[in-house]
Amino acid sequence: MRFLGIDPGIAIVGFGFIDKTGSKLTPVQYGCIQTEAHTPDEERLLHVYEAMLQLIDKYKPDAVALEKLFFNRNVTTAMSVSQARGVLILAAIQRGLPIAEYTPMQVKQAIVGYGKAEKRQVQEMVKMYLKLQAIPKPDDVADALAVAICHAHSYTLNSKLNEVFKR
């Protein structure tokens, strides 16, 4: 199965496509979609939306996972990131993809085994899981790959649980 992990943002959207075969995880493609700072939000959102559609069409994931938003200070940033998140979800839904959402704590728990792990610990584990030579940069890309890994693990577990409950 191919999973797409997304770290939503308005300036930078991290994305990571990974394949899972058995228990093996393989990176397919990862990077970020960037928008220019002094561009109107509607143009930035259109760019994020169109770029995500192109990525989905090119790499054809089976499932999409996004990091849930957590803001405790800047409401303006929260609003624009929420809008970007909306167009990312729209792109996935329009392509008929199932969507999952994970809190940062859930991702850390799945990757490191500790929900309050430091960002650097998560990045090192992403590097290890995917056998990468370096931690992906910017941080948004490593975060997106962590979300994809989290979903790959959760998806497998949930599939097995569903099989058991169907019996």
Side-chain angles (χ1 to χ4, degrees), residues 9 31 41 52 86 104 106 120-121 127 162:
D41 280 356
M52 185 52 64
Q106 288 172 312
R120 181 71 183 183
Q121 291 173 293
K127 179 183 161 191
N162 287 335

Side-chain angles (χ1 to χ4, degrees), residues 13-148:
V13 175
F15 67 85
F17 292 87
I18 63 169
D19 283 347
K20 183 172 186 185
T21 308
S23 62
K24 183 180 179 188
L25 298 174
T26 307
V28 174
Q29 181 62 277
Y30 52 90
C32 61
I33 301 166
Q34 295 183 302
T35 64
E36 293 294 322
H38 299 290
T39 307
D41 280 356
E42 57 273 17
E43 289 179 31
R44 295 173 94 177
L45 292 169
L46 179 63
H47 176 71
V48 166
Y49 171 74
E50 289 177 339
M52 185 52 64
L53 282 177
Q54 288 176 356
L55 288 165
I56 289 170
D57 290 345
K58 183 173 182 176
Y59 295 104
K60 303 189 182 337
D62 297 300
V64 176
L66 289 97
E67 187 169 270
K68 283 187 181 178
L69 298 181
F70 176 77
F71 284 95
N72 59 359
R73 289 198 187 112
N74 192 335
V75 175
T76 304
T77 301
M79 292 299 289
S80 61
V81 173
S82 293
Q83 290 174 328
R85 200 169 170 282
V87 300
L88 292 162
I89 290 170
L90 176 63
I93 291 289
Q94 283 186 326
R95 293 303 189 253
L97 297 169
I99 297 171
E101 301 173 283
Y102 298 95
T103 65
M105 187 175 275
Q106 288 172 312
V107 173
K108 291 174 182 180
Q109 179 70 41
I111 302 299
V112 179
Y114 176 59
K116 294 184 180 178
E118 298 293 322
K119 186 178 261 311
R120 181 71 183 183
Q121 291 173 293
V122 174
Q123 293 171 339
E124 287 293 341
M125 291 302 290
V126 165
K127 179 183 161 191
M128 186 193 80
Y129 272 120
L130 300 176
K131 297 174 178 56
L132 302 173
Q133 292 190 354
I135 293 170
K137 296 289 180 193
D139 291 350
D140 312 77
V141 178
D143 291 347
L145 286 167
V147 172

Side-chain angles (χ1 to χ4, degrees), residues 4-18:
L4 166 58
I6 301 173
D7 182 32
I10 188 73
I12 300 174
V13 175
F15 67 85
F17 292 87
I18 63 169

